[in-house]
Amino acid sequence: MQTINITTDADGIATLTIDVPDQSMNVIGPDFIADLDAAITRIASDDTIKGAVIASGKDSGFMAGMDLKYFGSMLVTADGGRPAPADIFDKVFVLNQLFRRLETCGKPIACAIEGTCVGGGFELALACHRRIVGDSPKTRLGLPEILIGLFPGGGGSQRLPRLMGVQAALMYMLQGKLFRPAEAAMLKVVDQVVPQGTALETAREWVKANPTAATQPWDVKGFKFPGGAGAFNPGFVQTMVGALPMTLKQTQRNMNAPVALLSAVYEGAILPFDRAIRIESKYFAKVAADPQAGNMIRSLFVNKQAAERGARRPKGEAKAPTMKLAMLGAGMMGAGIATVAAQAGMDVVLFDRDLAFAQKGKAHVESVLSKRLGKGMTPEKLAATLARVTPTASYADLAGADFVIEAVFEDVAIKAEVTRQVEAVLGPDVIFGSNTSTLPITKLAGAWSKPENFIGVHFFSPVEKMPLVEIILGKQTGPAAIAKALDFVAQIKKTPIVVNDSRGFYTSRCFGTYVQEGAELVAEGINPALIENAGKQLGMPVGPLAVSDEVSIELGYKVMTAAKKELGDAYVAQRSDAVMTQMVEMDRLGRKNGKGWYDYPEGGKKLLWPGIGETFPRAETQPDVDAVKERLLYRQLVECARCFAEGVLETPEDGDIGAIFGWGFAPYTGGPFSHMETVGIAHVVAVLDRLAAAHGDRFAPTAQLRAMAADGTIFYHPATSAKAA
């Protein structure tokens, strides 16, 4: 066997130690499936084996889910096409059959869980007769498949409700929420929590003491779901009747997997278990057959992991972890970066022009971390982390820093002065990163005497929560600077994308089109409630007017005026420019001053400003919601395509990851480039041509898109993505 080592002790207890080679975490692939099948046959047929314990041979944890590369191969035929749903069913049902064989092999099977146990690994545990977990604050268990466009397909959607009740199980599965060990025990999902490192021995003792405990509760005659189930159970019916509209509201009817999960749970709960797992596999195959799942898996898991593991890191550059960070600017962004850097173990010199501002920045660090006390943060860890942050107003205190991040006011002259002052202390060989969100990196690099050591490091607010960091390369940025920046992002456990220099880079530029198109629609007299609801139905976190308030209408106005000044006659004015100007002149700046597109009554719920209709008169004829959704979507798509055509983006992977994690582009699509491929490049060009004819050249497709539509080229192809992971 390649993935499982079997040993048997003097008491006849077999130990199956899972150790999938060439993987940092155990995953389910074809070799593991074959080995587990053989192991079950041996356990069932060998009379000297009285029972078995399943454990992990890796320090990284017990087991994750399916090897997603293997899963992807199940969705492609030999000639590169997509298999029929019936063929997909036959492939995915193999795992369900295997776990069913395990729990009905006639001998007690215990699972000894130390560390992470999620997805298919947790479904394996659920198929065991006893689940014993080593207690650790880092241990998580559960079924998070919904987060990547799938749902539990190895019996999890049937076993979990039979253990903890339908309502509670749905809450966890629909959110992809994970259990801590004590929580899982309280909900009867695991049987025993023991001191860390003792799960294996405890599991062996249980098997030895319970030689006949080889039947699952749902295989005992008269079994009833906790809380009840079945078409005539009032509580079950009420749960299912309420769950569907709630799910449709939360997903805006865009996601396939949550509805399929509800169907599998409902139908499975009124059928015998062997029929129930077939129902699960039927719905799982239906979800897997749709491109949505593949797109989400590719962007949210495979490409995201590749980015975090250094897919864009220059080859041959030595590791360059940051030991001491010079953080310039102690505002919300600077203090947030200082927080995550100190948490990662770095010493941070938090600089601001005034010591009081620097101290206020450190107070922000303390405030953020204090809220985590009791949630993995201890008073001792808090004190140690704070001790690593030194506030100062003296450039001399930056001495010894091996990486610089600047987050001062968005003004070229101010940034240049700060840059020169820092170089006077540290010298030009230290890598200097600017957190600017719009100013060209190449221009800013002119203040550093070695521009090859200057790079953009664009964080998103709030830094502590937002997962993405956009690395921007100036025209002279060198490989050492890229490696240093990416190593820093890895240290703080965030996801990087790498883009080339341009005004607004990738994320700010493309995100801005969503806000701008919302303002264009307002200028045309479109009902603001229609605009906002269309944005949310599209799958964006909030409508374009709401997000404009959050980031500040004034900021958009400043970016627009700066672009006008920089580009001169080349600047192409839009109706949205006048809308922003008018809002700023009326002092409606957004949430920050309590009035923007929305009003923010103290202690009350925000509501759309009633004066929008007077300021921007309502058109007599209103479009339908699909027309508004189309404009909001395609305005973003065409700008993303322009970034690719202009070389701002070098890979569609960066484009999809950056869109989803940077500005919340509809995750169910897998990102703008995955979405364009799914609907077809020719279709995208046709829609853009129609929109450009009706609404202007901002929708005009790129020459590259036209060429791709003509010759059938796609973004995720070596010819158009030479640097892809």
Side-chain angles (χ1 to χ4, degrees):
M1 291 185 182
Q2 297 181 54
T3 66
I4 300 174
N5 179 48
I6 303 178
T7 58
T8 306
D9 64 18
D11 296 312
I13 311 298
T15 298
L16 280 61
T17 304
I18 306 169
D19 192 353
V20 179
D22 302 320
Q23 296 281 359
S24 60
M25 186 81 181
N26 287 323
V27 291
I28 296 172
D31 291 338
F32 173 77
I33 288 172
D35 289 349
L36 183 58
D37 185 47
I40 294 169
T41 298
R42 178 174 165 185
I43 291 165
S45 61
D46 190 338
D47 292 339
T48 65
I49 296 177
K50 307 304 180 186
V53 174
I54 302 177
S56 169
K58 292 188 185 293
D59 294 333
S60 57
F62 179 76
M63 192 172 219
M66 182 77 74
D67 179 341
L68 291 176
K69 290 182 181 177
Y70 165 61
F71 176 74
S73 71
M74 294 164 59
L75 307 181
V76 181
T77 58
D79 61 359
R82 291 192 75 83
D87 295 329
I88 297 175
F89 171 88
D90 291 338
K91 293 175 180 177
V92 300
F93 190 57
V94 167
L95 192 63
N96 247 327
Q97 288 177 303
L98 188 65
F99 290 168
R100 186 63 175 148
R101 279 191 65 218
L102 178 69
E103 68 184 2
T104 58
C105 71
K107 293 176 182 177
I109 310 293
C111 188
I113 302 169
E114 298 279 3
T116 300
C117 177
V118 295
F122 191 57
E123 290 178 293
L124 170 60
L126 294 177
C128 296
H129 305 108
R130 185 81 173 177
R131 287 164 293 284
I132 297 163
V133 183
D135 196 10
S136 165
K138 294 183 179 179
T139 294
R140 297 291 183 274
L141 313 102
L143 302 169
E145 290 91 337
I146 209 84
L147 301 178
I148 55 169
L150 296 172
F151 71 94
S157 75
Q158 304 306 312
R159 291 185 178 90
L160 195 63
R162 284 165 169 81
L163 286 169
M164 64 186 296
V166 172
Q167 185 176 21
L170 282 174
M171 285 175 61
Y172 278 83
M173 290 190 289
L174 284 169
Q175 296 176 52
K177 187 179 175 185
L178 300 181
F179 303 93
R180 294 174 187 269
E183 181 184 8
M186 181 183 71
L187 293 168
K188 311 295 184 188
V189 176
V190 302
D191 302 289
Q192 199 173 351
V193 178
V194 298
Q196 186 177 2
T198 67
L200 179 57
E201 191 52 44
T202 305
R204 285 178 177 142
E205 290 170 2
W206 180 85
V207 172
K208 182 179 178 181
N210 296 273
T212 61
T215 306
Q216 293 280 37
W218 41 88
D219 289 325
V220 176
K221 189 174 181 181
F223 167 77
K224 289 188 167 121
F225 278 70
F232 298 103
N233 181 281
F236 174 73
V237 171
Q238 186 176 1
T239 294
M240 300 308 298
V241 166
L244 182 59
M246 285 176 63
T247 299
L248 293 176
K249 180 182 177 183
Q250 289 178 340
T251 64
Q252 296 291 332
R253 299 177 181 266
N254 289 321
M255 297 277 290
N256 298 329
V259 176
L261 170 61
L262 288 171
S263 298
V265 170
Y266 175 78
E267 294 178 33
I270 59 179
L271 291 170
F273 193 81
D274 287 306
R275 286 289 301 156
I277 57 174
R278 291 187 68 86
I279 290 290
E280 178 192 80
S281 288
K282 178 187 80 170
Y283 281 108
F284 187 89
K286 184 178 179 182
V287 169
D290 191 281
Q292 183 179 103
N295 288 346
M296 290 183 71
I297 289 168
R298 179 171 65 188
S299 294
L300 302 179
F301 190 85
V302 177
N303 291 343
K304 179 176 180 287
Q305 280 201 342
E308 291 166 352
R309 290 172 178 169
R312 298 298 308 278
R313 193 180 189 280
K315 302 293 186 287
E317 287 292 324
K319 284 290 181 184
T322 296
M323 308 304 292
K324 182 178 179 179
L325 174 69
M327 184 65 241
L328 312 178
M332 288 295 289
M333 291 299 288
I337 297 167
T339 301
V340 296
Q343 273 191 289
M346 298 172 221
D347 290 326
V348 180
V349 181
L350 184 56
F351 172 89
D352 212 302
R353 65 184 186 277
D354 187 282
L355 183 59
F357 285 122
Q359 290 170 332
K360 185 178 178 182
K362 181 169 181 177
H364 171 85
V365 178
E366 183 172 12
S367 174
V368 168
L369 298 181
S370 294
K371 291 173 184 173
R372 299 179 191 170
L373 285 169
K375 300 174 185 176
M377 176 64 69
T378 64
E380 294 76 21
K381 282 173 69 176
L382 173 60
T385 304
L386 287 173
R388 288 194 283 270
V389 180
T390 304
T392 185
S394 171
Y395 284 104
D397 290 337
L398 303 178
D402 58 300
F403 189 38
V404 181
I405 297 180
E406 164 272 306
V408 302
F409 189 71
E410 285 284 275
D411 179 275
V412 173
I414 293 173
K415 288 181 183 290
E417 175 59 25
V418 169
T419 302
R420 284 189 286 266
Q421 293 275 10
V422 171
E423 183 173 332
V425 175
L426 296 179
D429 293 327
V430 171
I431 306 299
F432 189 106
S434 175
N435 178 55
T436 179
S437 57
T438 57
L439 300 176
I441 292 300
T442 302
K443 186 170 187 177
L444 296 179
W448 195 254
S449 61
K450 285 190 175 180
E452 66 269 26
N453 290 338
F454 197 101
I455 193 166
V457 187
H458 177 207
F459 286 81
F460 298 77
S461 185
V463 174
E464 299 88 354
K465 293 181 180 179
M466 294 296 282
L468 189 77
V469 180
E470 185 178 28
I471 304 298
I472 306 107
L473 312 186
K475 287 184 179 176
Q476 293 176 273
T477 301
I482 302 171
K484 183 72 173 180
L486 288 173
D487 288 350
F488 175 78
V489 174
Q491 284 177 272
I492 60 174
K493 294 181 169 57
K494 292 193 181 290
T495 305
I497 62 169
V498 179
V499 306
N500 288 313
D501 199 11
S502 110
R503 178 164 288 278
F505 318 129
Y506 170 59
T507 56
S508 295
R509 173 176 166 180
C510 295
F511 161 70
T513 63
Y514 179 59
V515 173
Q516 289 159 12
E517 197 60 26
E520 292 280 341
L521 288 159
V522 170
E524 293 172 25
I526 308 304
N527 187 332
L530 173 59
I531 299 168
E532 292 295 82
N533 285 323
K536 288 187 282 189
Q537 287 181 26
L538 179 60
M540 302 297 287
V542 293
L545 305 182
V547 78
S548 179
D549 270 10
E550 294 298 328
V551 300
S552 152
I553 297 169
E554 184 182 36
L555 177 61
Y557 171 78
K558 286 180 177 178
V559 170
M560 179 262 293
T561 52
K564 272 186 180 178
K565 183 179 177 182
E566 181 78 19
L567 298 174
D569 292 340
Y571 182 81
V572 179
Q574 304 289 343
R575 291 177 72 178
S576 57
D577 297 352
V579 171
M580 282 191 290
T581 300
Q582 193 167 348
M583 291 291 282
V584 170
E585 288 173 351
M586 297 171 68
D587 197 37
R588 299 199 69 88
L589 308 181
R591 181 185 278 275
K592 73 177 188 176
N593 76 329
K595 52 183 181 178
W597 294 115
Y598 285 78
D599 282 329
Y600 300 86
E602 192 171 335
K605 187 178 180 183
K606 74 176 185 181
L607 41 96
L608 278 165
W609 173 40
I612 296 176
E614 286 181 25
T615 310
F616 307 100
R618 192 76 50 86
E620 287 186 17
T621 304
Q622 295 287 313
D624 63 26
V625 68
D626 287 333
V628 179
K629 284 167 61 179
E630 183 179 69
R631 283 180 61 176
L632 292 173
L633 171 63
Y634 277 80
R635 184 63 188 93
Q636 295 177 79
L637 293 182
V638 72
E639 203 65 33
C640 293
R642 285 178 187 138
C643 285
F644 193 82
E646 294 168 15
V648 177
L649 283 172
E650 294 183 349
T651 74
E653 290 87 343
D654 281 334
D656 281 343
I657 293 169
I660 293 172
F661 294 104
W663 74 87
F665 186 88
Y668 71 92
T669 64
F673 294 93
S674 290
H675 184 68
M676 285 189 275
E677 285 191 2
T678 299
V679 300
I681 305 298
H683 174 78
V684 171
V685 169
V687 172
L688 289 172
D689 279 335
R690 172 168 52 80
L691 290 173
H695 303 292
D697 286 346
R698 66 184 182 277
F699 286 103
T702 64
Q704 185 185 55
L705 276 178
R706 292 192 189 283
M708 292 171 71
D711 62 21
T713 310
I714 57 176
F715 289 106
Y716 279 94
H717 186 277
T720 57
S721 184
K723 297 187 181 182

